[in-house]
Amino acid sequence: YVVVNHSTALNITSAITIETWIKPSSYTASGYNHILDKDSSYALSLYNGKPSLYLLNAGGWWSPSVATLDMFKWYHLVATYDGTVKKIFLNGTLIAEQNQTGLIGTSTFNLGIGARQTGDYKFKGIIDSTRIYSRALSADEILSNYQAGNIEFQYRVSTDNSTWSNWTSYGTSASDLAWESFDNPYLYGTTDTGLVAYWPMDEASGTSVADVKGSNTGTATGTKIIDGKYSKARSFNGSSD
């Protein structure tokens, strides 16, 4: 799992969005598997394989009656709260909402990705491109972000402007990385209004998990770097990771 040291920037009170791409490979029956957890403040988790949201002083745990997620399938999962209603979106579609008021309680505990910061409630599967906002994204913004993750870039080349190669999917070859330098190197931009932290999980090696928006870089314990929804991601084994 990944631990991000506490910072005041992660203390979010009035409105929040937690956004991520996940590919679960197992879940705990009648238990939690945390995707992101700011210990004793807010969390996005799977409870019995279903998306769940925790907001301290704003309803606590909310585990709506929704479908259990399939294993080994990519999902764009988003939870929002604007001070009046909390919502969960799956693959760009609203699947649950509930009226709620109250400021989100804060804590000085660390933040965990793939588990609680203490290492319990572990998630098993792949996590990629995880972000936190200090505002509630709109349904249109969430749909746009979901669709951005489903675009496949392809290209072809020619040396004589007459004969062309076959179309090739964008990957991580040297030529692809050179092309990438002309555009944003991450799936999403880093200048969105209200964006607090963004962990693309794109490191090629090591235990550092960079926050490309702020200074909330995390440290991975275990985990495996593999191909993700976009570029690289972190795989969590649900036990030692």
Side-chain angles (χ1 to χ4, degrees), residues 153-220:
F153 295 95
Q154 295 188 343
Y155 64 93
R156 61 179 182 169
V157 297
S158 174
T159 57
D160 58 10
N161 291 322
S162 176
T163 303
W164 291 83
S165 67
N166 292 329
W167 286 101
T168 302
S169 294
Y170 175 84
T172 56
S173 68
S175 60
D176 292 341
L177 293 175
W179 176 36
E180 187 178 75
S181 66
F182 289 97
D183 202 356
N184 193 322
Y186 311 114
L187 176 58
Y188 302 116
T190 60
T191 59
D192 291 1
T193 301
L195 183 62
V196 172
Y198 176 16
W199 299 276
M201 312 279 186
D202 284 347
E203 291 79 16
S205 61
T207 60
S208 181
V209 180
D211 170 17
V212 298
K213 169 58 180 179
S215 56
N216 302 293
T217 292
T219 302

Side-chain angles (χ1 to χ4, degrees), residues 9-135:
L10 297 173
N11 279 343
I12 298 170
T13 58
S14 58
I16 191 171
T17 296
I18 306 172
E19 178 184 38
T20 188
W21 283 92
I22 60 170
K23 189 178 184 181
S25 57
S26 180
Y27 62 86
T28 302
S30 300
Y32 289 100
N33 301 108
H34 287 355
I35 301 162
L36 182 146
D37 176 77
K38 180 64 167 71
D39 199 349
S40 301
S41 184
Y42 52 84
L44 179 62
S45 186
L46 299 182
Y47 179 75
N48 203 28
K50 302 177 181 182
S52 300
L53 175 66
Y54 175 77
L55 300 173
L56 177 66
N57 297 338
W61 276 111
W62 175 47
S63 300
S65 180
V66 296
T68 301
L69 301 189
D70 293 332
M71 301 297 101
F72 307 106
K73 179 180 178 180
W74 279 109
Y75 292 97
H76 180 244
L77 179 60
V78 183
T80 69
Y81 175 59
D82 64 1
T84 61
V85 63
K86 48 192 178 186
K87 302 177 180 181
I88 294 178
F89 295 79
L90 190 67
N91 292 343
T93 299
L94 177 66
I95 61 169
E97 64 179 317
Q98 180 173 293
N99 292 336
Q100 182 67 58
T101 59
L103 295 178
I104 303 168
T106 62
S107 79
T108 58
F109 293 113
N110 296 335
L111 180 146
I113 300 173
R116 196 179 184 185
Q117 55 110 11
T118 51
D120 46 353
Y121 305 112
K122 289 182 173 67
F123 173 86
K124 185 174 183 179
I126 305 170
I127 300 177
D128 198 359
S129 297
T130 299
R131 301 194 291 177
I132 300 174
Y133 287 80
S134 60
R135 66 181 180 92

